[in-house]
């Protein structure tokens, strides 16, 4: 695996949602460019290269992070704060991708320096379009640090 | 406090009373002494006058003899000289106190026949009639009187024509005086008749006078010569004035025939004495009584002494009485004061003794009434405060509960919106894929995705069931009953027997579980969820074991469901009871099981927590129930409703 195949880190506990995101990426981008972790703890392990991600080869730096908020073990907001305060990680754009439309979650996400806050659309077509636009914008138009 | 009040009373009262006592004693003493002195002095004075009168009478009696003789001579002109001389002899013989009796005529005055009696016995050379029968030499003899024309004893009666008692004189060692009476013939002085008397007898009588113990009498002549005096050598020789200045004053005053008394000095002892003097009228002599002050005032001093003694004793008695009275008066006040202190210190049960009469008893009763009212008022206030505090606490508890409920509701709403949306997104999403796969005839993809939709729909159904269940706990309740926890645990075990069998787990239920009071279905559900949860997280344990038991806690028993499964990372212990919290996303269940467990424990008045040594070390869910929910069976069936 080279760096090009791991451009996006998906932090999503719901396997169905993860599947949908990854299928969208496969249709619009290169599907194997995405890596999924299932909870907050695993996300931190990957990003801070500890536990089973201690080998840097297994945990290349992502260009974009898609982060769910409600996660088992370590909450999504805590993951956000941890990585946004880590010197080598804080410039990676973090897109919050959640079912929550809660004002509290929105504010706390931006306070934690989230780069974008997206609510998963229930409608399938919108979901597909959002994924397409997201990939186009963040991996296409957007300049990464 | 006690010493203070009592001491102050004593300090104030005692000096006043003692001063008053001393003043009155001194006044009474002074007055008594003065009165007693006056009485003694008056007594002495009256005695002096009495003795003066007595000796006056005695002299008067002696003077009667020459007076009788004179009257006789005046009356019997015819008497011859021999007859007169015989009469004189008889007077001398009849009166032993008389030393001499005499008559003396002017020349030729008796019978005009002086010539015939020249140098005859009782006559002088001219034959003048001057017979003087006397016993100056012891036996009686007749002598002619001599020097009569130059002597007072003749010249004074002749000049004054009055009876005369002469100044005492010493003749042949004997103090004597002469009592002379003029003989008048046709109003003319013819001669005198007289007697000489020894003053020794009078001296003896005066010397016999005793004034008090050692006091004595002094007799002085008109010229102040001592007629009677203790020191006999001074009789006839010394004068009154020689005895001291006071006697000088007496001599002066007595010459005017005055009586009186004067403080002076006893000429014999030299001690202070009261000198009382009274005139002896006939002779112009003075009777003086020397009353030694010490003796005269002996009674006064005794009186003063006993009065002083009585005064000192009274002072002592009064002092003791005041000290005792001060104590008696102070005691109830001190008791009241102590009670006031006790009340101030917060002891409202303190009461003063009410058994004394008068103002103090009334004060004590008033004080006690006040204290009782105070106590009642305080009790009311305390009760009110307690009520307020209770009400406040209840209010606070309500507010806290309300806040908790609100927070829970917010969490619930949030969780529901998030977690109900998730399966919806899955369903809608994969239905979209199913449509695409149907269009292009991807049957393999179709089967997979339809299964995903089906599972999501099932999960949603479960979720809705659990949410409904959760919302019912505590809201919809059955009447609480007494249930042996052991039976409930066995029933719960039976409900999850399938899963236990599938993993080969052993369920061990402690034999000594108590009876608990509560909603039977909920309590069983509680145990069921915990056993199920334990079975779910057994991991790859070769011999899975689940234990249900109870420990004796400090207040209430602590129940536990313990397993030897995967355990829980201590970091996540506090989160596991939250809504939709799932530590392992891959595990089955809705994430509401432990939330339901927590809710059931809470509506039964208990609390629940999880303990674990860490991942792989098993976990233990411990919970309590309200102490009223755990009790012996005797209260069973009282139909008490769960709050």
């Amino acid at each position: 695996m080279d760096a090009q195949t791991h451009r996006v880190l998906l932090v999503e506990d719901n396997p169905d949602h993860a599947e949908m995101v990854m299928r969208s990426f496969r249709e619009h981008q290169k599907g194997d460019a995405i890596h999924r972790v299932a909870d907050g703890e695993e996300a931190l392990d990957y990003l801070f290269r500890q536990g089973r991600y201690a080998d840097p080869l297994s945990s290349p730096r992502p260009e974009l992070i898609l982060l769910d908020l409600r996660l088992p073990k370590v909450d999504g907001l805590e993951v956000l704060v941890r990585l946004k305060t880590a010197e080598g990680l804080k410039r990676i754009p973090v897109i919050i991708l959640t079912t929550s439309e809660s004002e509290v979650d929105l504010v706390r996400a931006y306070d934690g320096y989230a780069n974008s806050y997206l609510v998963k659309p229930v409608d399938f077509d919108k979901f597909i379009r959002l994924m397409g636009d997201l990939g186009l914008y963040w991996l296409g138009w957007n300049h990464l640090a | 406090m006690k010493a203070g009040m009592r001491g102050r009373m004593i300090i104030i009262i005692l000096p006043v009373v003692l001063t008053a006592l001393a003043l009155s004693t001194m006044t009474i003493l002074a007055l008594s002494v003065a009165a007693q002195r006056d009485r003694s002095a008056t007594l002495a004075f009256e005695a002096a006058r009495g003795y003066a009168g007595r000796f006056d009478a005695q002299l008067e009696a002696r003077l009667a003899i020459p007076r009788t003789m004179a009257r006789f001579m005046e009356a019997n002109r015819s008497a011859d000289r021999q007859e007169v001389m015989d009469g004189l002899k008889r007077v001398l013989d009849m009166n032993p106190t008389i030393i001499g009796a005499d008559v003396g005529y002017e020349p030729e005055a008796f019978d005009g026949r002086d010539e015939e009696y020249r140098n005859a016995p009782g006559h002088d050379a001219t034959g003048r009639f001057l017979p003087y029968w006397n016993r100056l030499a012891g036996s009686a003899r007749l002598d002619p009187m001599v020097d009569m024309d130059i002597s007072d004893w003749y010249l004074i009666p002749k000049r004054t024509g009055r009876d005369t008692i002469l100044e005492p004189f010493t003749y042949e060692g004997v103090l004597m005086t002469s009592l002379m009476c003029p003989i008048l013939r046709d109003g003319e002085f013819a001669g005198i008749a007289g007697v000489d008397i020894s003053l020794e007898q009078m001296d003896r009588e005066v010397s016999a006078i005793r004034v008090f113990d050692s006091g004595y009498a002094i007799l002085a002549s008109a010229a102040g010569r001592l007629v009677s005096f203790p020191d006999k050598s001074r009789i006839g020789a010394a004068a009154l004035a020689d005895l001291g200045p006071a006697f000088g004053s007496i001599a002066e005053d007595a010459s005017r025939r005055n009586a009186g008394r004067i403080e002076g000095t006893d000429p014999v002892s030299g001690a202070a004495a009261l000198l009382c003097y009274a005139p002896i009228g006939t002779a112009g002599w003075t009777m003086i009584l020397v009353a030694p002050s010490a003796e005269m005032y002996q009674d006064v001093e005794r009186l003063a002494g006993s009065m002083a003694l009585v005064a000192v004793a009274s002072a002592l008695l009064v002092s003791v009485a005041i000290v005792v009275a001060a104590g008696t008066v102070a005691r109830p006040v001190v008791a009241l004061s102590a009670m006031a202190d006790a009340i101030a210190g917060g002891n409202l049960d303190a009461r003063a003794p009410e058994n004394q009469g008068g103002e103090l008893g009334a004060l004590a009763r008033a004080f006690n009434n006040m204290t009782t009212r105070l106590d009642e008022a305080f009790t009311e206030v305390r009760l009110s405060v307690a009520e307020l505090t209770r009400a406040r606490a209840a209010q606070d508890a309500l507010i806290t509960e309300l806040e908790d409920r609100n927070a829970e509701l917010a969490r619930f709403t949030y969780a529901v919106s998030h977690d109900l949306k998730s399966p919806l997104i899955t369903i809608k999403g994969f239905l979209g894929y199913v449509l695409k796969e149907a269009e292009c005839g991807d049957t393999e993809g179709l089967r997979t995705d339809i299964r995903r939709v089906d599972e999501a729909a099932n999960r949603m159904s479960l979720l809705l069931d659990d949410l409904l269940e959760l919302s019912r706990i505590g809201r919809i309740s059955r009447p609480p009953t007494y249930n042996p926890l052991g039976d409930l645990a066995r029933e719960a075990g039976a409900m999850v027997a399938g899963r236990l069998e599938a993993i080969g787990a052993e369920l061990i239920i402690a034999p000594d579980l108590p009876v608990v009071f509560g909603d039977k279905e909920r309590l069983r559900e509680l145990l069921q969820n915990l056993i199920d949860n334990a079975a779910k997280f057994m991991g790859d344990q070769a011999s899975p074991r689940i234990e249900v038991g109870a420990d004796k806690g400090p207040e209430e028993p602590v129940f536990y469901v313990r397993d030897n499964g995967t355990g829980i990372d201590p970091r996540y212990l506090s989160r596991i009871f939250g809504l939709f919290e799932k530590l392992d996303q891959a595990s089955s269940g809705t994430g509401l099981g432990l939330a339901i467990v927590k809710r059931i424990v809470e509506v039964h008045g208990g609390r629940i927590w999880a303990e674990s040594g860490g991942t792989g070390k098993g976990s233990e869910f411990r919970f309590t129930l309200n102490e009223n929910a755990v009790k012996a069976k005797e209260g069973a069936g009282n139909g008490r409703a769960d709050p």
Side-chain angles (χ1 to χ4, degrees), chain A residues 13-14 16-17 19-20 23-24 27 41 70-75 99-102 105 119-120 122 124 128, chain B residues 414 418-419 421-422 425-426 428-430 432-433 436-437 449 452 459 569 571-572 575 579-580 582-583 585:
Chain A
D13 64 324
N14 189 313
D16 296 329
H17 292 190
E19 177 64 23
M20 287 169 72
R23 277 191 197 180
S24 301
E27 277 177 30
E41 192 181 63
R70 284 185 60 82
L71 292 168
K73 296 179 183 176
V74 180
D75 187 74
T99 53
S100 172
E101 293 176 78
S102 157
D105 281 342
V119 177
K120 295 171 186 170
V122 177
F124 176 68
I128 296 299
Chain B
Y414 169 78
H418 178 275
D419 285 70
K421 234 163 96 180
S422 285
I425 289 166
T426 304
K428 293 267 280 184
F430 283 94
Y433 286 123
K436 283 186 177 176
E437 283 151 358
D449 290 349
R452 284 181 194 269
R459 201 159 52 243
D569 189 320
R571 285 178 292 171
Y572 312 133
R575 281 185 60 186
L579 286 172
F580 307 106
K582 290 169 75 174
L583 293 184
Q585 189 55 44

Side-chain angles (χ1 to χ4, degrees), chain B residues 288-569:
Chain B
I288 301 160
L289 292 187
V290 179
S293 298
E295 293 165 16
M296 190 170 70
Y297 302 141
Q298 210 170 32
D299 285 353
V300 174
E301 275 164 16
R302 246 199 318 274
L303 177 78
S306 43
M307 278 195 73
L309 209 67
V310 167
V312 168
S314 305
L316 279 173
L317 271 172
V318 165
S319 304
V320 169
I322 285 170
V323 168
V324 170
T328 309
V329 172
R331 198 178 308 121
V333 178
V334 167
L336 281 179
S337 165
M339 179 197 162
D341 283 347
I343 290 164
N347 177 13
L348 290 176
D349 295 332
R351 290 291 181 276
E354 295 182 6
N355 51 4
Q356 49 264 306
E359 291 88 342
L360 282 175
L363 184 59
R365 279 189 291 282
F367 223 91
N368 285 345
N369 286 342
M370 185 197 80
T371 311
T372 304
R373 296 239 185 102
L374 210 58
D375 196 9
E376 286 165 4
F378 265 116
T379 305
E380 267 175 43
V381 168
R382 263 200 294 268
L383 287 176
S384 307
V385 168
E387 266 171 41
L388 269 175
T389 309
R390 263 198 301 280
R392 183 69 184 272
Q395 198 182 4
D396 287 351
L398 267 175
I399 288 171
T400 306
E401 196 184 333
L402 209 58
E403 284 171 352
D404 286 352
R405 288 281 174 90
N406 275 341
E408 200 180 301
L409 197 64
R411 278 198 304 276
F412 188 78
T413 310
Y414 169 78
V416 165
S417 70
H418 178 275
D419 285 70
L420 282 180
K421 234 163 96 180
S422 285
L424 261 183
I425 289 166
T426 304
I427 290 167
K428 293 267 280 184
F430 283 94
L431 278 178
Y433 286 123
V434 164
L435 280 176
K436 283 186 177 176
E437 283 151 358
E439 281 169 11
C440 60
D442 180 2
T443 51
E444 182 59 31
L446 259 176
R447 202 179 297 117
T448 315
D449 290 349
I450 286 174
R451 200 177 62 241
R452 284 181 194 269
V453 171
D454 185 44
E455 280 173 5
N458 284 340
R459 201 159 52 243
M460 201 163 176
S461 173
L462 270 178
L463 202 57
L464 286 171
D465 286 348
D466 278 358
L467 279 173
L468 188 63
E469 182 70 16
L470 189 63
S471 75
R472 279 176 174 164
I473 299 169
R475 194 164 56 78
I476 298 169
S477 58
R478 286 166 284 261
T481 52
Y482 284 92
N483 307 284
L485 198 67
D487 293 353
L488 293 182
R490 272 181 288 279
E491 284 174 33
M495 305 278 276
V496 292
R499 189 194 291 273
L500 293 178
E501 265 174 41
I503 60 167
E506 184 189 4
L507 176 64
I508 302 165
I509 298 166
D512 58 346
L513 289 176
V515 171
V516 295
F517 185 70
D519 184 330
K520 183 181 178 182
E521 300 301 319
R522 295 280 177 237
L523 291 171
R524 191 180 56 214
E525 189 180 359
L526 159 65
L527 291 172
Q528 185 185 325
N529 278 1
L530 288 174
I531 294 168
D532 190 46
N533 191 67
K536 213 184 285 178
F537 298 98
M538 267 311 162
D540 50 3
Q541 175 60 251
S543 52
R545 194 177 67 249
I546 301 168
E547 296 168 68
V548 180
D551 290 331
K552 275 204 176 3
E555 284 159 16
E556 66 261 292
V558 178
F559 306 101
Y560 61 82
V561 175
R562 186 187 295 151
D563 65 63
N564 58 352
T566 54
I568 306 159
D569 189 320

Side-chain angles (χ1 to χ4, degrees), chain B residues 149 180 192 242 244 265 287 297 321 487 538 551 571 581 628:
Chain B
D149 289 328
M180 297 296 178
I192 53 110
D242 298 338
T265 310
M287 167 62 71
Y297 302 141
D487 293 353
M538 267 311 162
D551 290 331
R571 285 178 292 171
E581 291 286 358
N628 293 327

Side-chain angles (χ1 to χ4, degrees), chain A residues 4-127:
Chain A
Q4 198 63 27
T5 61
H6 280 92
R7 293 182 66 187
V8 178
L9 178 68
L10 172 64
V11 188
E12 172 61 77
D13 64 324
N14 189 313
D16 296 329
H17 292 190
E19 177 64 23
M20 287 169 72
V21 171
M22 286 163 80
R23 277 191 197 180
S24 301
F25 267 75
R26 272 197 293 272
E27 277 177 30
H28 296 276
Q29 317 287 330
K30 287 197 181 288
D32 51 358
I34 196 162
H35 181 82
R36 180 230 170 184
V37 292
D39 60 53
E41 192 181 63
E42 193 184 351
L44 291 174
D45 282 351
Y46 181 96
L47 290 166
F48 290 93
R49 287 171 174 160
Q50 55 200 15
R52 60 182 157 127
Y53 294 103
D55 179 5
L57 282 179
S58 68
S59 52
R61 286 277 172 266
E63 294 173 13
L64 184 68
I65 297 169
L66 298 178
L67 181 63
D68 195 2
L69 284 181
R70 284 185 60 82
L71 292 168
K73 296 179 183 176
V74 180
D75 187 74
L77 275 170
E78 192 182 333
V79 174
L80 172 68
V81 169
R82 291 278 300 277
L83 74 93
K84 280 296 182 185
T85 51
E87 204 49 51
L89 301 170
K90 65 182 180 186
R91 294 191 189 91
I92 302 172
V94 177
I95 315 301
I96 303 298
L97 188 61
T98 178
T99 53
S100 172
E101 293 176 78
S102 157
E103 181 77 14
V104 177
D105 281 342
L106 184 75
V107 169
R108 283 168 73 186
Y110 281 120
D111 284 351
Y113 302 105
N115 299 73
S116 184
Y117 191 96
L118 304 174
V119 177
K120 295 171 186 170
V122 177
D123 186 83
F124 176 68
D125 292 334
K126 284 185 184 166
F127 190 95

